[in-house]
Amino acid sequence: MKPAAFEYHRARSVAGAVGLLTELGDEAKVVAGGQSLVAMMNFRLARPEHLVDITHIDGLAEIRREGDTLRVGALTTHRTVEKAELGDFAVLSRAMRWVGHLPIRTRGTVGGSIAHADATAEWCLLAVLLEARIVAEGPAGRREIPAEEFFLGPFTTALEPDELIVELVFPHPAPRAALTEYADRKGDFALVAAAVDLDTDRIVLGGVGPVPTVVRGGWSSGAASRARAAAAADSLDLRDEPGISAHYRRGLVRTLVERAYEEAARG
Amino acid sequence: MAEPRFRRDGAWVGASVPRREDPRLLAGRGRFVDDITLPGMLHAQFVRSTEAHARLLAVDLDEVRAVPGVVAAYTAADLDLADITALLDRPAHEFVPTAMPVLARDTVRYVGEPVAVVVAKDPYAAEDGVEAAVVEYAPLEPVVSDLGALAEGAPLVHAGAPRNTLVDVSLFATEGIDDVFSEAHTVVEVRTKTGRQNALPLETRGVVADWDDRDEQLRVQTCSQVPHQVRTVLARCVGLDEKQVRVTVPDMGGGFGQKCVVGREEIAAAAAALRLRRPVKWIEDRRDALTAAFLAREQRYTVRAAFSADGEILGLDADVVCDMGAYSCYPFTAGIEPLMASAEMPGVYRVPAYRVRGRAVTTNKAPTAPYRGVSRPQYVMVVERVFEKAARALGIDAVELRRRNLITVFPYTGVNNITYDPGSYLESLDLCEKTLRDEGWFSRRSDENRVIGIGFACFSERTGYGSGAFAQRKMQVVPGFDISEIRMDLNGTVSVTTGTLSHGQSHETTMAQIVADRLGVPYDRVKIVQGDTDRITYGWGSFASRSITIGGSAVAAASVKLGDQLREIAAHLLGGDVESAVLEDGGVRVGSSWLSYADIADVAYLKAHLLPKGVGPGLAATASFDVGGDGTFSNATHGCVVELDPGTGGVEILRYVCVEDCGVAIHPQVVEGQARGGIAQGIAGALFEEVRYDDAGQPLAPSFMEYKVPTAREIPDVRIEHLETPCAFTENGAKGAGEGGTIGAPAAVLNAVNDALRHTGVELDDTPIPREAIFRALEVS
Amino acid sequence: MIQLVELVVNGERHDLAIEPRRTLVDVLRHDLGLTGTHVGCEHGICGACTVLVDGAPARACLIFAAQVEGAEIRTVESLAAPDGTLNDLQQCFSEHHGLQCGFCTPGMLMLAEGYLAEEPEPTTEEIRDVVASNLCRCTGYQTIVEAIDDCATRRRAAFQDRLDRSAS
Ligand SMILES: Cc1cc2nc3c(=O)[nH]c(=O)nc-3n(C[C@H](O)[C@H](O)[C@H](O)COP(=O)(O)OP(=O)(O)OC[C@H]3O[C@@H](n4cnc5c(N)ncnc54)[C@H](O)[C@@H]3O)c2cc1C
Ligand code: FES
Ligand code: FES
């Protein structure tokens, strides 16, 4: 389990990184925390010829509050977010306990999680739940992509190969939001994850489709959390898969949405 | 009963002294195989089969040899090594051997089977080389399950093994057993399938081999539990004399049985080193360890039990099928699991009638080896399920039902022709139940708002298998005895060899404690020498909880002999008689005079002319030990409390209590460590770990993402209570303690889950327990 | 292709000419001879390779050595005194029998060392959560949790002691 050979490039600035990505083309890949990419390279499931290391770029690991908006730099680690005092964005910190384990969280980054686009990854769910915008920089400059349009399929995003994620913008606070999940073993990627925001009445699910899945409410605004959870679960088009039936997955959704509601209500 | 011969009058045995192995391991100064670097060392990796079952049409390594950094690449034909074949002395209808080639020759039989070895300047280049190999297969239909193997018209994994059956034994068949069942008040049946598991030492397998011209030896450093077996097989495979092979074992990061058989890769790497005359290292990576190493535990049981109205067990009728994968392991063969299960199943209960058929089938999966507990975690689980089901059917409390049937009078000779030495079967059950009751778990169990269950497991475990016990299995290679050589050096320090081999079990400490008591020296004056075929006459290594019972007894016997020598010399030097000479305070007292060991050693080595007539120079002794009878039985009762989550089917273990009796504990903290670690592995099997394959025989758990080893979050704290029934025939009164934890845990967990489901009418008997099944059971209720 | 990499490990500077694909754990073990850090999976789950990178526990198998130029790396070899005297954490592991084969131990020690530096007053449950980061196949984890708990308690007591003494 040793990676295939590659050439190493260290970017010192966003422009420099974009320049390298443009110049090196399809055979280049960004490495940030490496917590997904290096594991895949060790299995030789990923074998980029060029690796562009962005961890030495200054200024990409900041968390800034601007009015109602929270901006989280792409290189911010899960652990930094977990320990940060984020006030009415505290749901982000609380959700980090679900991301792997401490030594993963000290290296893994927000931008890396979003770019990696695992359909159960907490950051992907949170971004969609909280209607975040993903700020990407490419040769043509910066653009902002709404999270709901960003994830196209498992491990597939709207990001161009020569673009870099520089930050996530969360446009409004979420004082009454929560994320919860279930896996047989702690620290694993979730079998099913559920995130809810009471104020926007949004539910986002992981593990029920190729991308974070937004469940559009078919419930009345006064419905109890149990009824909403049931409605959310029933709205899904699920199939039996080896090791897990649609019925069980639906049951997990019902349970987890309800529990997320309870946690969100506690704040 | 004979008086126990154990002694605990000294200061050391029974004391949880600091472990001798700790300082180096804590400082990062241990020496594991992968820590070894030799000048000019090369690195091996293997081209492995991507097919579960296929004819090998061509293995083309030309491209491999052109990869930068690759030094050599060999196929089976290039190396021309003898096969590894393990045998039983049983007739052909009971046992069919398999010839396991070191590298696949013309057929591949599982995904991951080594096809060629690539040797390169570093492990990275070796993998580059592996990728460049071109292998042509003609796929054959794979056999991927025990039922598939036994099905009419199934393809054959080995042409010589009809019905894919390697072992088929029918044993005991007590006369009249059919009548027992037809006349019984109640008959219950348990059908169980247990998942394939990986013993999973955290350190994967590995080897460093080099040819030494000066010693004219192939020197092999490998993390093996059985170095002498490696020497024998390696010498045979490459065509060297035994004396031309030296196998040593450095620090080892666990074994649990996976390393107590001889692997193909260490032979291939050593053969490459021999051919290249350069050191070659092979370190198994985790993907290979999860897919291509020796596995275990995939078994299917159909067991019926007959009971009288008042809950007396009348008979046990069992059918056991073990999926042993593609080959028999050396030296145990594919018989290891079915023969263990068949011989021991009646366990701690007075079963008057017994019949069993045990089979090993071969499939296109990675082969199996013994894994901690060998079949006992499975059959104990099945028998304990039998008692739970019978309790329900009879309307008797399950603990009470066990009480009525436990063996209480010892020695007890069972229907399986095994004589059980004294144990505390009933006492351990009583104490375990009382402990949980006193802690309030039974009242919490009745809480309407929670889904809580309590499960028990009673078992004993035969440890200290002597040659006689293994011979009953009809193994052609019969392990059992142990030999120990002890030597005192000039300043009175002691070194002692053991044929056992510690890899986490703390023998450097516990064996030293045994010697320390016998000779009256501090335990840090005693050095344990293990894991070196040049320094140890012959050793069987460490497995089957044999080390302290057998190895520890040999060490004790050698110490006593050395003590006799010391007494004889001292008596002569001090002018007293031997009978009055006693070992005391690191020396010998004769009457009112005393001579230190250093003084005696001084004479024995440097002033030999002062020795008594007939006593040769030097201070050394050799002793061996074997267990004559059926071995000694450790026993325990485990109690487990689980809570189920109706919303997810999740299982949480709220409490775990283990009441164990391994006779005299040389080092209680070490015994507890063995129990806790064993229980964790048992829980892993009950709830988490499974090596699954798809219909094409492709392994579905190639990483720790899929093979779910439990962490500190899943494994509970374990309360341990000790009982002590000393063994009468080991030198220290000790019984084995290495495997018990693993044996009891699956039964305790499964029973607890089923107890929690008691109101649902659903019973779950397979492991690992699927959470979906729990979810569905609770959803309905 | 070869990359020049300058690494600072346990306070010592090393200049290396290595292939950039070499992971930090391989470089520590095989280029620098610091074999105390172990390898158990090379995909981030077992934790045998855990070291401190700028004080934070991290998986050395998921980092290329070239990435951590300029960072402070600490390995298990830094814990004991030069004369071999074990530090308090190591002593607690020994006293509680928190190791059997010792293969997971360096990773567990560095995990705990990094965590306790950041969080000197953890609850037992928090410690258990952190220990769940790494795998141990031998101990069943309980004694590892107890060892770390005990060490944290002792460190707090020693700290209080120093405060009391400087106050008086
Ligand atoms: C044992 C283990 C358990 C884990 N458990 C979880 C879990 O429960 N939940 C979870 O969400 N994650 C989990 N992860 C993954 C972890 O969160 C990773 O940190 C994350 O997926 C990727 O972040 P990274 O910074 O490590 O990215 P890298 O691994 O460096 O990169 C990942 C991908 O993103 C690209 N990329 C990285 N940064 C950028 C950027 N700024 N712009 C454009 N592309 C970029 C890379 O090219 C690569 O394709 C786990 C990982 C491990 C090893
Ligand atoms: S070797 Fe790095 S986590 Fe297992
Ligand atoms: S002590 Fe062996 S793996 Fe932890």
Side-chain angles (χ1 to χ4, degrees):
Chain A
M1 287 178 59
K2 308 292 180 191
F6 58 81
E7 207 168 312
Y8 176 79
H9 309 267
R10 185 175 297 154
R12 295 285 182 185
S13 67
V14 172
V18 170
L20 279 166
L21 289 176
T22 314
E23 176 194 324
L24 300 168
D26 281 356
E27 304 306 331
K29 213 149 182 38
V30 166
V31 64
Q35 301 302 290
S36 295
L37 182 59
V38 179
M40 288 170 64
M41 290 174 70
N42 286 350
F43 277 104
R44 298 203 178 193
L45 296 172
R47 39 193 322 148
E49 283 176 19
H50 298 274
L51 211 54
V52 177
D53 183 358
I54 61 169
T55 56
H56 294 251
I57 300 177
D58 287 333
L60 279 189
E62 281 156 25
I63 306 179
R64 279 175 300 143
R65 182 73 188 256
E66 292 171 0
D68 264 355
T69 305
L70 188 76
R71 310 181 83 93
V72 182
L75 287 179
T76 312
T77 63
H78 310 317
R79 183 64 173 164
T80 303
V81 174
E82 186 175 22
K83 302 281 281 184
E85 297 288 344
L86 296 181
D88 43 17
F89 282 100
V91 59
L92 299 178
S93 308
R94 281 200 309 272
M96 289 304 103
R97 72 178 189 279
W98 295 107
V99 183
H101 292 284
L102 173 67
I104 307 298
R105 301 201 282 268
T106 61
R107 302 278 316 161
T109 68
V110 177
S113 280
I114 296 285
H116 187 60
D118 188 297
T120 59
E122 290 75 11
W123 276 113
C124 302
L125 298 177
L126 292 165
V128 174
L129 178 75
L130 303 183
E131 299 165 292
R133 298 190 301 275
I134 289 138
V135 183
E137 184 164 324
R142 288 201 175 197
R143 62 173 179 138
E144 293 197 355
I145 310 159
E148 230 176 296
E149 292 163 25
F150 185 80
F151 303 106
L152 304 180
F155 311 107
T156 320
T157 69
L159 203 66
E160 297 296 331
D162 53 5
E163 278 183 315
L164 197 69
I165 297 176
V166 291
E167 65 179 4
L168 252 63
V169 182
F170 292 93
H172 56 77
R176 299 197 305 147
L179 180 150
T180 191
E181 58 189 52
Y182 178 77
D184 291 349
R185 186 180 58 167
K186 192 189 174 312
D188 280 351
F189 278 97
L191 203 52
V192 170
V196 302
D197 184 343
L198 293 188
D199 295 321
T200 57
D201 213 6
R202 281 168 74 82
I203 299 176
V204 178
L205 301 173
V208 300
V211 295
T213 306
V214 184
V215 189
R216 316 238 170 240
W219 49 80
S220 65
S221 58
S225 57
R226 169 161 301 196
R228 288 167 185 234
D234 292 341
S235 73
L236 298 168
D237 177 22
L238 297 172
R239 240 154 293 208
D240 289 347
E241 280 164 42
I244 172 166
S245 72
H247 178 77
Y248 179 39
R249 209 184 281 272
R250 201 179 305 284
L252 287 174
V253 169
R254 197 180 310 119
T255 301
L256 294 167
V257 170
E258 188 179 347
R259 288 180 187 172
Y261 268 116
E262 283 161 12
E263 189 185 326
R266 285 196 301 270
Chain B
M1 292 285 343
E3 269 296 288
R5 284 200 319 200
F6 78 97
R7 20 180 293 175
R8 204 171 20 189
D9 44 359
W12 299 102
V13 164
S16 292
V17 295
R19 289 207 321 161
R20 303 283 309 282
E21 35 284 86
D22 279 353
R24 70 171 187 275
L25 295 174
L26 284 161
R29 298 180 64 87
R31 188 170 65 244
F32 296 87
V33 174
D34 191 30
D35 301 345
I36 296 165
T37 300
L38 298 177
M41 188 169 76
L42 300 171
H43 298 262
Q45 263 315 336
F46 289 85
V47 177
R48 293 178 182 276
S49 173
T50 55
E51 296 287 328
H53 196 194
R55 298 210 70 75
L56 265 185
L57 298 182
V59 182
D60 181 352
L61 302 179
D62 288 350
E63 300 274 322
V64 177
R65 298 188 179 101
V67 168
V70 169
V71 174
Y74 305 114
T75 62
D78 297 331
L79 289 182
D80 190 25
L81 303 168
D83 294 344
I84 305 171
T85 309
L87 297 174
L88 294 178
D89 274 333
R90 286 183 182 272
H93 67 273
E94 285 190 351
F95 174 71
V96 178
T98 60
M100 180 164 74
V102 174
L103 295 172
R105 214 171 274 113
D106 42 27
T107 307
V108 287
R109 295 191 172 85
Y110 61 96
V111 173
E113 176 156 14
V115 168
V117 56
V118 177
V119 184
K121 69 172 188 6
D122 70 34
Y124 292 75
E127 272 193 48
D128 296 345
V130 166
E131 276 191 325
V134 182
V135 184
E136 256 186 84
Y137 303 96
L140 301 168
E141 193 186 332
V143 177
V144 295
S145 71
D146 57 336
L147 298 181
L150 293 169
E152 201 63 49
L156 292 184
V157 178
H158 294 273
R163 295 180 323 285
N164 291 310
T165 300
L166 300 182
V167 174
D168 188 349
V169 294
S170 291
L171 298 173
F172 309 113
T174 314
E175 222 178 282
I177 187 163
D178 287 318
D179 298 336
V180 169
F181 274 87
S182 58
E183 288 158 20
H185 175 273
T186 296
V187 173
V188 293
E189 183 178 271
V190 177
R191 290 170 178 269
T192 292
K193 166 87 171 34
T194 59
R196 202 172 192 79
Q197 261 188 284
N198 191 313
L200 209 102
L202 199 56
E203 178 204 37
T204 56
R205 298 178 300 146
V207 64
V208 175
D210 72 313
W211 174 261
D212 187 283
D213 277 318
R214 183 167 175 277
D215 289 345
E216 293 184 342
Q217 264 188 332
L218 185 56
R219 295 188 307 195
V220 178
Q221 305 184 69
T222 184
C223 46
S224 169
Q225 295 168 246
V226 287
H228 281 89
Q229 301 301 303
V230 174
R231 180 179 74 179
T232 297
V233 173
L234 178 55
R236 205 179 290 158
C237 284
V238 299
L240 291 174
D241 295 337
E242 292 247 344
K243 72 169 172 21
Q244 288 179 296
V245 178
R246 178 180 188 181
V247 180
T248 56
V249 181
D251 281 323
M252 176 147 73
F256 313 117
Q258 189 172 74
K259 297 174 180 171
C260 86
V261 297
V262 182
R264 312 157 79 164
E265 292 89 346
E266 58 248 34
I267 307 290
L274 186 60
R275 178 169 290 230
L276 293 164
R277 291 292 199 264
R278 283 180 74 176
V280 173
K281 176 191 273 189
W282 168 67
I283 301 297
E284 180 177 51
D285 67 28
R286 185 55 67 184
R287 177 178 35 200
D288 291 345
L290 285 172
T291 55
F294 294 94
L295 305 171
R297 300 240 203 279
E298 188 169 7
Q299 305 186 350
R300 187 182 300 274
Y301 285 78
T302 310
V303 174
R304 292 188 313 137
F307 283 84
S308 71
D310 58 358
E312 200 184 330
I313 189 164
L314 304 173
L316 205 55
D317 190 7
D319 185 87
V320 188
V321 178
C322 306
D323 179 343
M324 303 306 283
Y327 298 96
S328 262
C329 63
Y330 188 95
F332 300 96
T333 79
I336 179 83
E337 288 192 355
L339 294 177
M340 173 72 91
S342 304
E344 317 266 341
M345 192 173 316
V348 287
Y349 299 108
R350 293 186 311 265
V351 177
Y354 178 46
R355 175 168 63 197
V356 63
R357 180 180 186 190
R359 279 175 286 178
V361 298
T362 178
T363 57
N364 292 114
K365 303 180 192 172
T368 47
Y371 170 25
R372 198 176 194 174
V374 185
S375 288
R376 287 168 288 193
Q378 286 71 42
Y379 78 68
V380 166
M381 189 175 95
V382 171
V383 171
E384 293 301 289
R385 290 300 301 141
V386 161
F387 273 85
E388 294 283 328
K389 280 186 209 279
R392 284 191 196 188
L394 293 162
I396 301 174
D397 173 71
V399 171
E400 173 56 25
L401 187 67
R402 290 184 176 89
R403 273 195 198 104
R404 291 183 195 175
N405 287 286
L406 284 171
I407 300 167
T408 50
V409 179
F410 299 97
Y412 175 87
T413 300
V415 66
N416 49 352
N417 296 333
I418 294 173
T419 299
Y420 297 75
D421 65 335
S424 52
Y425 299 177
L426 191 57
E427 297 83 341
S428 66
L429 175 61
D430 288 345
L431 181 55
C432 189
E433 194 199 27
K434 178 175 182 312
T435 304
L436 285 174
R437 201 172 286 289
D438 291 351
E439 288 185 356
W441 293 105
F442 282 89
S443 52
R444 255 164 281 184
R445 175 177 176 270
S446 352
D447 184 339
E448 295 274 304
N449 298 312
R450 300 176 70 179
V451 190
I452 291 180
I454 300 177
F456 291 93
C458 297
F459 63 94
S460 68
E461 169 205 0
R462 170 142 57 146
T463 70
Y465 278 82
S467 312
F470 274 116
Q472 277 172 7
R473 294 268 179 84
K474 306 196 176 156
M475 283 177 67
Q476 206 173 59
V477 172
V478 184
F481 62 84
D482 200 56
I483 305 173
S484 174
E485 292 176 45
I486 193 165
R487 195 173 79 199
M488 185 172 277
D489 292 319
L490 261 183
N491 57 359
T493 51
V494 179
S495 62
V496 57
T497 70
T498 171
T500 65
L501 203 140
S502 183
H503 43 287
Q505 298 91 332
S506 323
H507 299 164
E508 285 170 58
T509 305
T510 52
M511 297 272 186
Q513 288 175 271
I514 291 171
V515 176
D517 270 357
R518 298 302 156 115
L519 293 176
V521 295
Y523 81 131
D524 56 6
R525 306 272 287 172
V526 182
K527 178 179 167 49
I528 302 299
V529 178
Q530 55 179 354
D532 184 341
T533 56
D534 268 15
R535 293 189 62 184
I536 290 138
T537 315
Y538 203 88
W540 290 105
S542 283
F543 54 86
S545 306
R546 65 185 299 275
S547 299
I548 285 298
T549 51
I550 299 176
S553 293
V555 159
S559 307
V560 170
K561 274 196 182 174
L562 177 66
D564 290 345
Q565 272 179 40
L566 290 162
R567 287 167 53 233
E568 183 176 0
I569 299 169
H572 173 75
L573 295 175
L574 294 173
D577 77 274
V578 188
E579 300 312 313
S580 69
V582 288
L583 307 182
E584 200 179 288
D585 294 337
V588 182
R589 172 167 304 284
V590 184
S592 58
S593 3
W594 180 85
L595 212 49
S596 76
Y597 289 154
D599 291 337
I600 302 170
D602 197 59
V603 169
Y605 289 106
L606 306 182
K607 300 182 180 67
H609 60 284
L610 299 180
L611 286 168
K613 263 204 177 50
V615 172
L619 289 169
T622 302
S624 67
F625 186 84
D626 200 343
V627 174
D630 285 344
T632 177
F633 287 78
S634 301
N635 70 273
T637 298
H638 290 195
C640 174
V641 185
V642 300
E643 176 161 18
L644 308 182
D645 180 345
T648 61
V651 182
E652 190 185 352
I653 299 177
L654 301 177
R655 189 60 171 148
Y656 205 104
V657 174
C658 162
V659 179
E660 70 81 39
D661 185 343
C662 65
V664 173
I666 310 294
H667 189 301
Q669 200 182 32
V670 163
V671 167
E672 294 190 359
Q674 291 294 312
R676 290 204 170 91
I679 287 165
Q681 293 186 10
I683 292 171
L687 291 175
F688 297 98
E689 296 176 3
E690 186 176 17
V691 179
R692 290 189 302 118
Y693 292 80
D694 70 11
D695 293 343
Q698 293 292 332
L700 294 173
S703 86
F704 281 148
M705 303 279 269
E706 302 84 17
Y707 194 77
K708 296 184 183 300
V709 183
T711 71
R713 261 282 58 112
E714 287 79 39
I715 300 300
D717 283 354
V718 175
R719 172 169 172 178
I720 297 177
E721 300 291 336
H722 298 282
L723 296 173
E724 186 185 286
T725 312
C727 175
F729 47 82
T730 60
E731 289 282 341
N732 306 289
K735 301 172 173 181
E739 297 168 285
T742 321
I743 295 171
V749 172
L750 193 64
N751 280 340
V753 168
N754 278 295
D755 185 48
L757 293 176
R758 61 193 177 276
H759 59 291
T760 67
V762 175
E763 292 187 42
L764 304 176
D765 291 326
D766 294 347
T767 57
I769 306 170
R771 305 303 191 274
E772 176 163 352
I774 295 174
F775 175 84
R776 283 177 182 267
L778 291 170
E779 186 186 37
V780 173
S781 67
Chain C
M1 143 233 351
I2 294 298
Q3 182 97 15
L4 295 179
V5 176
E6 181 190 315
L7 271 193
V8 180
V9 182
N10 301 333
E12 199 179 321
R13 204 189 106 165
H14 302 270
D15 291 295
L16 296 156
I18 53 170
E19 275 193 289
R21 63 169 159 169
R22 290 184 76 77
T23 55
L24 178 60
V25 71
D26 278 349
V27 168
L28 290 171
R29 290 176 48 75
H30 301 303
D31 296 291
L32 302 181
L34 294 169
T35 52
T37 306
H38 294 156
V39 173
C41 74
E42 297 177 291
H43 55 283
I45 296 186
C46 78
C49 67
T50 306
V51 299
L52 301 185
V53 178
D54 289 331
R59 304 296 204 223
C61 70
L62 295 186
I63 300 174
F64 294 114
Q67 287 187 278
V68 283
E69 262 193 320
E72 291 272 347
I73 315 287
R74 270 188 72 197
T75 68
V76 67
E77 284 88 351
S78 71
L79 296 181
D83 70 354
T85 307
L86 301 180
N87 85 353
D88 52 352
L89 180 65
Q90 293 167 311
Q91 269 159 18
C92 286
F93 265 67
S94 184
E95 282 168 32
H96 289 269
H97 193 28
L99 67 157
Q100 289 180 24
C101 77
F103 198 77
C104 69
T105 311
M108 288 288 185
L109 289 169
M110 297 320 284
L111 175 71
E113 194 69 38
Y115 177 65
L116 290 182
E118 184 188 290
E119 182 51 77
E121 295 186 33
T123 65
T124 308
E125 276 314 290
E126 285 167 340
I127 293 172
R128 182 168 283 283
D129 253 342
V130 169
V131 172
S133 304
N134 289 10
L135 300 180
C136 171
R137 194 59 164 173
C138 300
T139 62
Y141 304 106
Q142 180 176 345
T143 52
I144 296 176
V145 174
E146 287 168 358
I148 298 170
D149 209 356
D150 189 14
C151 179
T153 308
R154 288 190 206 181
R155 283 185 186 179
R156 283 197 298 274
F159 182 70
Q160 192 57 45
D161 216 39
R162 278 201 301 280
L163 284 185
D164 293 349
R165 247 180 293 145
S166 65
S168 64

